[in-house]
Amino acid sequence: MSGRAPTDRYRDLVNGRIGGKLSKQLGLPRPARLRRHQAGQPLTDGPVLVGQAGAGKLADHVRSLASIELAADSDGRLGGLVLDATGVDALDDLDAVREFLHVGLRRLGSSARVLVLGRPASPSGTVEAAAARQALDGVVRSVAKELRGGATANLVLVDENADPADTESTVNFVLSARSAYVDGQVITVGPSGSAGSRNPAGPAQQGRVVVVTGAARGIGAGIAEVFARDGATVVCLDVPAQGEALTATANRIGGLAVQLDITAPDAPKRLVEHLKSRHGGLDVIVHNAGITRDKLLVNMDAARWDAVLAVNLRAQLALNDALLADGGPLRSGGRIVSVASTSGIAGNRGQTNYAASKAGVIGLVRALAPTLEPRGITANAVAPGFIETEMTAKMPLGTREAGRRINSLQQGGLPVDVAETIAWLAEPGSGGVTGQVVRVCGQSILGA
Ligand SMILES: NC(=O)c1ccc[n+]([C@@H]2O[C@H](COP(=O)([O-])OP(=O)(O)OC[C@H]3O[C@@H](n4cnc5c(N)ncnc54)[C@H](O)[C@@H]3O)[C@@H](O)[C@H]2O)c1
């Protein structure tokens, strides 16, 4: 993966023999080595036990997925648990949730996956049904905090109108090593609404044109690499000052380098022209470029404020307008994914400008998503927590160590973790996931 991701020496230490014993005796955090995607690996590290609470309708569909190795209902280490709780509509149904997880959790191996499928609250349902459905949220978020060894737990709420096939890309992502740093999240899947949007047999992004802004380094370079791995033609975009690093990224992945400052008034026009003349259109735009200019608000001058809002928010609005305009290059079935931040959810001292821009991005995708449904285009945001990049490597030791450990996985994520999450949202089969904010933060206590 790109860039020099700083090493987490503490994690390496506690995964050694002596460090492991010592940290256990002293009750210190023991971050595990997370299982991450490798070509040809099975979906989970061990078979998956599929269960049901209430009269759910998805368990059989999950059992039928070719990607999942099913576990026998007996002893043995498990790679994951899937609980179909879409039938939970009464408080008594929760007994079966407790029972299944109580027994199953003991059998989980390291980096295992717990996936609970529920239903979103329905305005026409009873108050008890709403309470029972919401209870799953508390169960899953707590289980995520109890798990160790790199295991994660997530809740996927499946809309009544969604076809079981609409859930496949999300079930596969959540169970796989690609979701290594996605933990304690609640993701809603609705009907995809567009025929023929399911996963093709080939690589997930085969034949698609993807633009990644801020692709010269860090998370952006990681995003470009994952899309190229998955078969896309990647247009890597960054400021001219980063020209050399941008060319290096583009060459490494066999993509194209476009030097463009996204805040320039003619940037949308130039990007549209490039996409139309060179690629005939666009399938995915990843708004990743971002900057920080930190100061307490009492010391924040207009220049710092304006610069951050311009790159992180205004430029996204302007680019989206041009890409989505009548005759614009973003094709039907297209994907817009914006990189927000947990700072935009929880706020952060010294970052009013940055948090405003990132919260603004969340507002942007939520408002945009419903307007794009008729065109089969989705708009989502990912909110990274602490990611190991050159930026976080420059933090003072104490702040960095605290940032790394205050999440359920007790470590920072990697650029590839953000990239994999974006790639899942951009998959042709993820048409039912829109207007959402998925945190890639190891279930950070910030903004939980
Ligand atoms: N690193 C983290 O822990 C973290 C956490 C949460 C969110 N994020 C977000 O993730 C994204 C990537 O962060 P990173 O850590 O890789 O940062 P980075 O500074 O390493 O990379 C950002 C890239 O964006 C480019 N860029 C900046 N202004 C631009 C402009 N006007 N036009 C075109 N390109 C421009 C930069 O040149 C750079 O290559 C940002 O949006 C950031 O806010 C990062």
Side-chain angles (χ1 to χ4, degrees), residues 213-221 223 237-242 245-246 258-264 287-293 307 310-312 315-316 338-343 354 357-358 382-392 395 413 415 418 440:
T213 68
R217 64 179 198 197
I219 294 173
I223 298 166
L237 193 152
D238 212 301
V239 288
Q242 288 289 331
L246 182 68
V258 173
Q259 295 186 10
L260 192 64
D261 179 341
I262 55 169
T263 64
H287 293 292
N288 162 78
I291 60 168
T292 52
R293 297 283 184 274
V311 177
N312 298 6
Q316 290 199 22
S338 294
V339 179
S341 164
T342 47
S343 292
Y354 183 75
S357 71
K358 295 300 188 180
V382 296
F386 184 98
I387 304 297
E388 303 280 1
T389 60
E390 287 161 56
M391 185 181 95
T392 47
M395 287 177 166
V418 182
V440 186

Short mmCIF file of all heavy atoms in Angstrom, two decimals, residues 213-221 223 237-242 245-246 258-264 287-293 307 310-312 315-316 338-343 354 357-358 382-392 395 413 415 418 440, ligand 1:
data_model
loop_
_atom_site.label_atom_id
_atom_site.label_comp_id
_atom_site.label_asym_id
_atom_site.label_seq_id
_atom_site.Cartn_x
_atom_site.Cartn_y
_atom_site.Cartn_z
N THR A 213 -10.15 12.33 -5.96
CA THR A 213 -9.46 13.61 -5.72
C THR A 213 -8.48 13.44 -4.55
O THR A 213 -8.71 12.62 -3.65
CB THR A 213 -10.46 14.74 -5.40
OG1 THR A 213 -11.07 14.48 -4.12
CG2 THR A 213 -11.54 14.86 -6.46
N GLY A 214 -7.40 14.19 -4.59
CA GLY A 214 -6.39 14.08 -3.52
C GLY A 214 -5.69 12.73 -3.55
O GLY A 214 -5.42 12.14 -2.50
N ALA A 215 -5.39 12.24 -4.77
CA ALA A 215 -4.90 10.85 -4.91
C ALA A 215 -3.38 10.73 -4.85
O ALA A 215 -2.85 9.63 -4.95
CB ALA A 215 -5.41 10.27 -6.23
N ALA A 216 -2.67 11.86 -4.67
CA ALA A 216 -1.21 11.78 -4.72
C ALA A 216 -0.63 10.95 -3.57
O ALA A 216 0.39 10.28 -3.73
CB ALA A 216 -0.62 13.18 -4.70
N ARG A 217 -1.29 11.00 -2.44
CA ARG A 217 -0.68 10.34 -1.26
C ARG A 217 -1.78 9.95 -0.26
O ARG A 217 -2.98 10.19 -0.49
CB ARG A 217 0.31 11.28 -0.59
CG ARG A 217 -0.39 12.51 -0.03
CD ARG A 217 0.57 13.44 0.67
NE ARG A 217 -0.16 14.35 1.54
CZ ARG A 217 0.32 15.46 2.02
NH1 ARG A 217 1.56 15.83 1.72
NH2 ARG A 217 -0.40 16.23 2.82
N GLY A 218 -1.36 9.37 0.84
CA GLY A 218 -2.26 9.09 1.97
C GLY A 218 -3.46 8.24 1.59
O GLY A 218 -3.36 7.29 0.80
N ILE A 219 -4.60 8.62 2.13
CA ILE A 219 -5.82 7.83 1.94
C ILE A 219 -6.22 7.81 0.46
O ILE A 219 -6.64 6.78 -0.07
CB ILE A 219 -6.95 8.40 2.82
CG1 ILE A 219 -6.60 8.21 4.31
CG2 ILE A 219 -8.28 7.73 2.51
CD1 ILE A 219 -7.55 8.89 5.29
N GLY A 220 -6.05 8.95 -0.23
CA GLY A 220 -6.42 9.03 -1.64
C GLY A 220 -5.64 8.04 -2.49
O GLY A 220 -6.21 7.38 -3.39
N ALA A 221 -4.34 7.92 -2.24
CA ALA A 221 -3.53 6.95 -2.99
C ALA A 221 -4.02 5.54 -2.69
O ALA A 221 -4.09 4.68 -3.59
CB ALA A 221 -2.05 7.11 -2.62
N ILE A 223 -7.08 4.69 -1.92
CA ILE A 223 -8.36 4.51 -2.62
C ILE A 223 -8.10 4.16 -4.09
O ILE A 223 -8.70 3.24 -4.65
CB ILE A 223 -9.22 5.79 -2.52
CG1 ILE A 223 -9.57 6.09 -1.06
CG2 ILE A 223 -10.49 5.65 -3.36
CD1 ILE A 223 -10.14 7.50 -0.82
N LEU A 237 -6.41 12.57 -9.28
CA LEU A 237 -6.43 14.04 -9.37
C LEU A 237 -5.79 14.66 -8.13
O LEU A 237 -6.06 14.22 -7.01
CB LEU A 237 -7.90 14.44 -9.49
CG LEU A 237 -8.29 15.84 -9.89
CD1 LEU A 237 -9.65 15.78 -10.57
CD2 LEU A 237 -8.38 16.72 -8.67
N ASP A 238 -4.93 15.65 -8.34
CA ASP A 238 -4.34 16.36 -7.19
C ASP A 238 -3.79 17.70 -7.67
O ASP A 238 -3.77 17.97 -8.87
CB ASP A 238 -3.24 15.51 -6.52
CG ASP A 238 -3.16 15.76 -5.02
OD1 ASP A 238 -2.92 16.92 -4.60
OD2 ASP A 238 -3.33 14.80 -4.24
N VAL A 239 -3.36 18.53 -6.72
CA VAL A 239 -2.84 19.86 -7.08
C VAL A 239 -1.51 19.73 -7.83
O VAL A 239 -0.76 18.77 -7.60
CB VAL A 239 -2.62 20.74 -5.82
CG1 VAL A 239 -3.95 21.18 -5.23
CG2 VAL A 239 -1.79 20.02 -4.77
N PRO A 240 -1.20 20.71 -8.71
CA PRO A 240 0.06 20.67 -9.46
C PRO A 240 1.28 20.52 -8.54
O PRO A 240 2.24 19.84 -8.90
CB PRO A 240 0.08 22.00 -10.21
CG PRO A 240 -1.37 22.34 -10.39
CD PRO A 240 -2.07 21.83 -9.17
N ALA A 241 1.24 21.12 -7.35
CA ALA A 241 2.39 21.04 -6.44
C ALA A 241 2.69 19.59 -6.03
O ALA A 241 3.80 19.27 -5.61
CB ALA A 241 2.12 21.89 -5.20
N GLN A 242 1.71 18.72 -6.16
CA GLN A 242 1.91 17.31 -5.81
C GLN A 242 2.14 16.46 -7.07
O GLN A 242 1.99 15.24 -7.04
CB GLN A 242 0.68 16.77 -5.07
CG GLN A 242 0.51 17.28 -3.66
CD GLN A 242 1.55 16.72 -2.73
OE1 GLN A 242 2.05 15.61 -2.92
NE2 GLN A 242 1.93 17.49 -1.72
N ALA A 245 4.36 13.16 -6.95
CA ALA A 245 3.74 12.07 -6.18
C ALA A 245 2.50 11.55 -6.90
O ALA A 245 2.22 10.34 -6.91
CB ALA A 245 3.35 12.57 -4.79
N LEU A 246 1.78 12.46 -7.57
CA LEU A 246 0.57 12.07 -8.29
C LEU A 246 0.93 11.13 -9.45
O LEU A 246 0.28 10.08 -9.64
CB LEU A 246 -0.13 13.32 -8.82
CG LEU A 246 -1.44 13.09 -9.55
CD1 LEU A 246 -2.52 12.58 -8.60
CD2 LEU A 246 -1.93 14.37 -10.24
N VAL A 258 -4.20 13.61 -13.32
CA VAL A 258 -4.72 14.91 -13.76
C VAL A 258 -4.39 15.94 -12.69
O VAL A 258 -4.83 15.82 -11.55
CB VAL A 258 -6.25 14.86 -13.99
CG1 VAL A 258 -6.79 16.26 -14.28
CG2 VAL A 258 -6.59 13.92 -15.12
N GLN A 259 -3.57 16.93 -13.07
CA GLN A 259 -3.21 17.98 -12.11
C GLN A 259 -4.29 19.05 -12.12
O GLN A 259 -4.50 19.71 -13.14
CB GLN A 259 -1.86 18.59 -12.48
CG GLN A 259 -0.72 17.59 -12.37
CD GLN A 259 0.64 18.24 -12.60
OE1 GLN A 259 0.76 19.46 -12.67
NE2 GLN A 259 1.67 17.41 -12.70
N LEU A 260 -4.96 19.20 -11.00
CA LEU A 260 -6.06 20.15 -10.94
C LEU A 260 -6.30 20.56 -9.49
O LEU A 260 -6.41 19.71 -8.61
CB LEU A 260 -7.32 19.46 -11.49
CG LEU A 260 -8.54 20.32 -11.79
CD1 LEU A 260 -8.25 21.32 -12.90
CD2 LEU A 260 -9.72 19.43 -12.21
N ASP A 261 -6.37 21.87 -9.28
CA ASP A 261 -6.76 22.37 -7.96
C ASP A 261 -8.30 22.42 -7.96
O ASP A 261 -8.88 23.20 -8.73
CB ASP A 261 -6.15 23.77 -7.76
CG ASP A 261 -6.54 24.37 -6.40
OD1 ASP A 261 -7.53 23.90 -5.80
OD2 ASP A 261 -5.85 25.30 -5.96
N ILE A 262 -8.92 21.61 -7.12
CA ILE A 262 -10.39 21.50 -7.19
C ILE A 262 -11.09 22.79 -6.76
O ILE A 262 -12.29 22.92 -6.98
CB ILE A 262 -10.93 20.30 -6.36
CG1 ILE A 262 -10.47 20.37 -4.91
CG2 ILE A 262 -10.59 18.99 -7.02
CD1 ILE A 262 -11.19 19.37 -4.00
N THR A 263 -10.35 23.73 -6.17
CA THR A 263 -10.99 25.00 -5.78
C THR A 263 -10.93 26.03 -6.91
O THR A 263 -11.52 27.10 -6.79
CB THR A 263 -10.33 25.60 -4.51
OG1 THR A 263 -8.97 25.93 -4.82
CG2 THR A 263 -10.38 24.64 -3.35
N ALA A 264 -10.20 25.74 -7.97
CA ALA A 264 -10.10 26.70 -9.09
C ALA A 264 -11.49 26.87 -9.72
O ALA A 264 -12.22 25.88 -9.87
CB ALA A 264 -9.11 26.19 -10.14
N HIS A 287 -14.73 11.97 -3.50
CA HIS A 287 -14.27 13.27 -3.00
C HIS A 287 -13.42 13.03 -1.76
O HIS A 287 -13.93 12.97 -0.64
CB HIS A 287 -15.48 14.14 -2.61
CG HIS A 287 -16.33 14.54 -3.76
ND1 HIS A 287 -15.91 15.40 -4.73
CD2 HIS A 287 -17.62 14.23 -4.08
CE1 HIS A 287 -16.89 15.61 -5.61
NE2 HIS A 287 -17.93 14.91 -5.23
N ASN A 288 -12.11 12.90 -1.99
CA ASN A 288 -11.22 12.60 -0.87
C ASN A 288 -10.33 13.78 -0.47
O ASN A 288 -9.94 13.88 0.69
CB ASN A 288 -10.34 11.39 -1.23
CG ASN A 288 -9.12 11.28 -0.35
OD1 ASN A 288 -9.20 10.82 0.79
ND2 ASN A 288 -7.96 11.74 -0.85
N ALA A 289 -10.02 14.67 -1.43
CA ALA A 289 -9.08 15.77 -1.13
C ALA A 289 -9.58 16.54 0.09
O ALA A 289 -10.76 16.85 0.21
CB ALA A 289 -8.98 16.71 -2.33
N GLY A 290 -8.68 16.83 0.99
CA GLY A 290 -9.07 17.56 2.19
C GLY A 290 -7.85 18.17 2.85
O GLY A 290 -6.72 17.71 2.68
N ILE A 291 -8.07 19.27 3.55
CA ILE A 291 -6.98 19.93 4.27
C ILE A 291 -7.44 20.31 5.69
O ILE A 291 -8.65 20.35 5.96
CB ILE A 291 -6.49 21.23 3.55
CG1 ILE A 291 -7.64 22.25 3.41
CG2 ILE A 291 -5.89 20.90 2.20
CD1 ILE A 291 -7.16 23.65 2.99
N THR A 292 -6.47 20.56 6.56
CA THR A 292 -6.76 21.08 7.90
C THR A 292 -5.99 22.40 8.08
O THR A 292 -4.90 22.57 7.51
CB THR A 292 -6.30 20.11 9.01
OG1 THR A 292 -4.92 19.77 8.78
CG2 THR A 292 -7.12 18.84 9.05
N ARG A 293 -6.56 23.31 8.81
CA ARG A 293 -5.88 24.56 9.23
C ARG A 293 -6.36 24.82 10.65
O ARG A 293 -7.20 25.68 10.89
CB ARG A 293 -6.27 25.75 8.32
CG ARG A 293 -5.88 25.63 6.87
CD ARG A 293 -4.39 25.91 6.64
NE ARG A 293 -4.05 25.88 5.21
CZ ARG A 293 -3.75 24.78 4.52
NH1 ARG A 293 -3.70 23.61 5.13
NH2 ARG A 293 -3.46 24.85 3.23
N ALA A 307 -10.18 28.62 3.61
CA ALA A 307 -9.39 27.62 2.88
C ALA A 307 -9.96 26.22 3.10
O ALA A 307 -10.12 25.43 2.16
CB ALA A 307 -7.92 27.67 3.34
N ALA A 310 -13.36 25.79 1.50
CA ALA A 310 -13.26 25.79 0.03
C ALA A 310 -12.89 24.40 -0.49
O ALA A 310 -13.52 23.88 -1.42
CB ALA A 310 -12.24 26.82 -0.43
N VAL A 311 -11.85 23.79 0.10
CA VAL A 311 -11.39 22.48 -0.40
C VAL A 311 -12.35 21.37 0.02
O VAL A 311 -12.75 20.53 -0.79
CB VAL A 311 -9.97 22.14 0.14
CG1 VAL A 311 -9.53 20.75 -0.33
CG2 VAL A 311 -8.97 23.20 -0.29
N ASN A 312 -12.71 21.36 1.31
CA ASN A 312 -13.42 20.19 1.86
C ASN A 312 -14.91 20.18 1.53
O ASN A 312 -15.53 19.12 1.57
CB ASN A 312 -13.27 20.15 3.38
CG ASN A 312 -11.82 20.00 3.82
OD1 ASN A 312 -10.92 20.05 3.00
ND2 ASN A 312 -11.60 19.81 5.11
N ALA A 315 -15.84 22.85 -2.98
CA ALA A 315 -15.38 22.20 -4.22
C ALA A 315 -16.23 20.96 -4.53
O ALA A 315 -16.53 20.68 -5.69
CB ALA A 315 -13.91 21.81 -4.09
N GLN A 316 -16.64 20.24 -3.49
CA GLN A 316 -17.48 19.05 -3.72
C GLN A 316 -18.82 19.45 -4.32
O GLN A 316 -19.32 18.81 -5.24
CB GLN A 316 -17.73 18.31 -2.41
CG GLN A 316 -16.50 17.63 -1.86
CD GLN A 316 -16.84 16.55 -0.84
OE1 GLN A 316 -17.94 16.01 -0.81
NE2 GLN A 316 -15.88 16.22 0.01
N SER A 338 -18.14 10.62 -0.53
CA SER A 338 -17.39 11.73 0.06
C SER A 338 -16.67 11.27 1.32
O SER A 338 -17.23 10.50 2.10
CB SER A 338 -18.36 12.86 0.46
OG SER A 338 -18.96 13.42 -0.68
N VAL A 339 -15.46 11.77 1.50
CA VAL A 339 -14.72 11.44 2.72
C VAL A 339 -15.00 12.52 3.76
O VAL A 339 -14.60 13.68 3.59
CB VAL A 339 -13.21 11.30 2.45
CG1 VAL A 339 -12.47 10.97 3.75
CG2 VAL A 339 -12.94 10.23 1.41
N ALA A 340 -15.73 12.16 4.79
CA ALA A 340 -16.00 13.08 5.90
C ALA A 340 -14.98 12.79 7.00
O ALA A 340 -13.81 12.47 6.71
CB ALA A 340 -17.44 12.90 6.38
N SER A 341 -15.38 12.83 8.24
CA SER A 341 -14.47 12.55 9.35
C SER A 341 -15.29 12.41 10.62
O SER A 341 -16.37 13.03 10.73
CB SER A 341 -13.49 13.72 9.52
OG SER A 341 -12.84 13.63 10.78
N THR A 342 -14.77 11.66 11.58
CA THR A 342 -15.48 11.59 12.86
C THR A 342 -15.50 12.97 13.53
O THR A 342 -16.37 13.25 14.35
CB THR A 342 -14.85 10.55 13.81
OG1 THR A 342 -13.44 10.74 13.82
CG2 THR A 342 -15.17 9.12 13.39
N SER A 343 -14.56 13.86 13.13
CA SER A 343 -14.60 15.24 13.65
C SER A 343 -15.87 15.95 13.22
O SER A 343 -16.35 16.85 13.91
CB SER A 343 -13.40 16.06 13.14
OG SER A 343 -12.22 15.57 13.69
N TYR A 354 -12.69 22.68 10.13
CA TYR A 354 -12.64 21.32 9.58
C TYR A 354 -13.93 20.56 9.90
O TYR A 354 -14.54 19.93 9.02
CB TYR A 354 -11.43 20.61 10.17
CG TYR A 354 -11.18 19.21 9.65
CD1 TYR A 354 -10.63 19.01 8.39
CD2 TYR A 354 -11.44 18.09 10.45
CE1 TYR A 354 -10.37 17.73 7.92
CE2 TYR A 354 -11.18 16.82 9.99
CZ TYR A 354 -10.64 16.63 8.73
OH TYR A 354 -10.39 15.36 8.27
N SER A 357 -16.76 21.75 7.83
CA SER A 357 -16.70 21.25 6.45
C SER A 357 -17.12 19.78 6.38
O SER A 357 -17.83 19.36 5.46
CB SER A 357 -15.29 21.44 5.87
OG SER A 357 -14.37 20.54 6.47
N LYS A 358 -16.70 19.00 7.37
CA LYS A 358 -16.98 17.56 7.32
C LYS A 358 -18.43 17.27 7.71
O LYS A 358 -19.06 16.36 7.15
CB LYS A 358 -16.00 16.80 8.23
CG LYS A 358 -14.55 16.88 7.76
CD LYS A 358 -14.37 16.31 6.38
CE LYS A 358 -12.90 16.19 5.96
NZ LYS A 358 -12.73 15.63 4.63
N VAL A 382 -18.09 8.41 3.95
CA VAL A 382 -17.39 7.61 4.96
C VAL A 382 -16.76 8.59 5.94
O VAL A 382 -16.33 9.68 5.53
CB VAL A 382 -16.30 6.69 4.35
CG1 VAL A 382 -16.91 5.65 3.44
CG2 VAL A 382 -15.24 7.48 3.62
N ALA A 383 -16.74 8.22 7.20
CA ALA A 383 -16.16 9.10 8.22
C ALA A 383 -15.02 8.35 8.89
O ALA A 383 -15.25 7.55 9.80
CB ALA A 383 -17.22 9.51 9.23
N PRO A 384 -13.78 8.57 8.41
CA PRO A 384 -12.65 7.89 9.05
C PRO A 384 -12.41 8.44 10.45
O PRO A 384 -12.65 9.62 10.73
CB PRO A 384 -11.46 8.21 8.14
CG PRO A 384 -12.04 8.74 6.86
CD PRO A 384 -13.34 9.37 7.25
N GLY A 385 -11.92 7.57 11.33
CA GLY A 385 -11.48 7.99 12.65
C GLY A 385 -9.98 8.24 12.59
O GLY A 385 -9.51 9.00 11.74
N PHE A 386 -9.22 7.55 13.42
CA PHE A 386 -7.76 7.71 13.42
C PHE A 386 -7.16 6.76 12.38
O PHE A 386 -7.22 5.55 12.51
CB PHE A 386 -7.19 7.38 14.81
CG PHE A 386 -5.71 7.62 14.93
CD1 PHE A 386 -5.22 8.80 15.50
CD2 PHE A 386 -4.80 6.68 14.45
CE1 PHE A 386 -3.86 9.02 15.59
CE2 PHE A 386 -3.43 6.90 14.54
CZ PHE A 386 -2.97 8.07 15.12
N ILE A 387 -6.60 7.36 11.32
CA ILE A 387 -5.99 6.55 10.25
C ILE A 387 -4.49 6.83 10.24
O ILE A 387 -4.05 7.99 10.32
CB ILE A 387 -6.62 6.91 8.88
CG1 ILE A 387 -8.16 6.74 8.92
CG2 ILE A 387 -6.01 6.06 7.76
CD1 ILE A 387 -8.68 5.35 9.18
N GLU A 388 -3.70 5.75 10.11
CA GLU A 388 -2.24 5.89 10.12
C GLU A 388 -1.77 6.47 8.79
O GLU A 388 -1.69 5.76 7.78
CB GLU A 388 -1.58 4.50 10.32
CG GLU A 388 -2.01 3.77 11.58
CD GLU A 388 -1.30 4.26 12.83
OE1 GLU A 388 -0.48 5.20 12.75
OE2 GLU A 388 -1.57 3.70 13.91
N THR A 389 -1.49 7.76 8.78
CA THR A 389 -0.96 8.42 7.58
C THR A 389 0.19 9.33 8.01
O THR A 389 0.47 9.49 9.20
CB THR A 389 -2.03 9.31 6.90
OG1 THR A 389 -2.45 10.30 7.84
CG2 THR A 389 -3.23 8.50 6.43
N GLU A 390 0.81 9.96 7.00
CA GLU A 390 1.89 10.91 7.32
C GLU A 390 1.35 12.02 8.22
O GLU A 390 2.06 12.54 9.07
CB GLU A 390 2.44 11.51 6.02
CG GLU A 390 3.30 10.52 5.25
CD GLU A 390 3.47 10.92 3.79
OE1 GLU A 390 3.93 12.03 3.54
OE2 GLU A 390 3.14 10.09 2.93
N MET A 391 0.04 12.37 8.02
CA MET A 391 -0.56 13.44 8.82
C MET A 391 -0.62 13.04 10.30
O MET A 391 -0.19 13.80 11.18
CB MET A 391 -1.98 13.70 8.29
CG MET A 391 -2.70 14.85 8.93
SD MET A 391 -4.35 15.01 8.23
CE MET A 391 -5.30 14.08 9.40
N THR A 392 -1.10 11.83 10.59
CA THR A 392 -1.22 11.42 11.99
C THR A 392 0.14 11.06 12.59
O THR A 392 0.33 11.14 13.80
CB THR A 392 -2.22 10.25 12.14
OG1 THR A 392 -1.94 9.25 11.17
CG2 THR A 392 -3.64 10.70 11.99
N MET A 395 1.67 13.85 14.67
CA MET A 395 1.07 14.27 15.96
C MET A 395 2.07 14.04 17.11
O MET A 395 2.87 13.11 17.04
CB MET A 395 -0.16 13.40 16.26
CG MET A 395 -1.35 13.70 15.42
SD MET A 395 -2.65 12.51 15.89
CE MET A 395 -4.06 13.25 15.14
N GLY A 413 -6.60 2.81 12.10
CA GLY A 413 -6.87 2.10 10.86
C GLY A 413 -5.81 2.45 9.83
O GLY A 413 -4.93 3.28 10.07
N PRO A 415 -5.02 3.45 5.54
CA PRO A 415 -5.71 4.01 4.37
C PRO A 415 -6.53 2.96 3.61
O PRO A 415 -7.63 3.24 3.15
CB PRO A 415 -4.56 4.55 3.52
CG PRO A 415 -3.52 4.95 4.53
CD PRO A 415 -3.61 3.90 5.61
N VAL A 418 -10.19 2.58 4.73
CA VAL A 418 -11.11 3.59 4.21
C VAL A 418 -11.41 3.27 2.74
O VAL A 418 -12.55 3.32 2.28
CB VAL A 418 -10.49 5.01 4.33
CG1 VAL A 418 -11.46 6.06 3.82
CG2 VAL A 418 -10.09 5.30 5.78
N VAL A 440 -15.40 4.68 9.63
CA VAL A 440 -14.31 3.69 9.52
C VAL A 440 -13.37 4.06 10.65
O VAL A 440 -12.39 4.77 10.47
CB VAL A 440 -13.61 3.78 8.15
CG1 VAL A 440 -12.59 2.65 7.99
CG2 VAL A 440 -14.64 3.73 7.02
N1 LIG B 1 -5.72 10.76 8.20
C1 LIG B 1 -6.77 10.69 9.00
O1 LIG B 1 -6.68 10.18 10.12
C2 LIG B 1 -8.12 11.21 8.54
C3 LIG B 1 -9.19 11.07 9.42
C4 LIG B 1 -10.45 11.51 9.01
C5 LIG B 1 -10.62 12.06 7.75
N2 LIG B 1 -9.57 12.18 6.91
C6 LIG B 1 -9.84 12.76 5.58
O2 LIG B 1 -9.36 11.89 4.58
C7 LIG B 1 -8.97 12.62 3.43
C8 LIG B 1 -7.54 12.27 3.05
O3 LIG B 1 -6.71 12.57 4.17
P1 LIG B 1 -5.15 12.20 4.24
O4 LIG B 1 -4.84 11.91 5.65
O5 LIG B 1 -4.81 11.19 3.22
O6 LIG B 1 -4.53 13.65 3.90
P2 LIG B 1 -3.26 14.06 3.01
O7 LIG B 1 -2.98 15.47 3.35
O8 LIG B 1 -2.17 13.05 3.13
O9 LIG B 1 -3.84 13.98 1.49
C9 LIG B 1 -4.79 14.88 1.00
C10 LIG B 1 -4.52 15.10 -0.49
O10 LIG B 1 -5.47 16.06 -0.97
C11 LIG B 1 -4.80 16.93 -1.85
N3 LIG B 1 -5.46 18.22 -1.96
C12 LIG B 1 -5.52 19.21 -1.02
N4 LIG B 1 -6.12 20.29 -1.53
C13 LIG B 1 -6.44 20.01 -2.81
C14 LIG B 1 -7.04 20.75 -3.85
N5 LIG B 1 -7.43 22.03 -3.67
N6 LIG B 1 -7.22 20.16 -5.06
C15 LIG B 1 -6.81 18.88 -5.26
N7 LIG B 1 -6.22 18.13 -4.30
C16 LIG B 1 -6.02 18.69 -3.10
C17 LIG B 1 -3.42 17.09 -1.21
O11 LIG B 1 -2.47 17.61 -2.13
C18 LIG B 1 -3.12 15.68 -0.76
O12 LIG B 1 -2.47 14.91 -1.75
C19 LIG B 1 -9.18 14.09 3.78
O13 LIG B 1 -10.45 14.53 3.30
C20 LIG B 1 -9.16 14.09 5.30
O14 LIG B 1 -9.86 15.18 5.83
C21 LIG B 1 -8.31 11.78 7.27
#
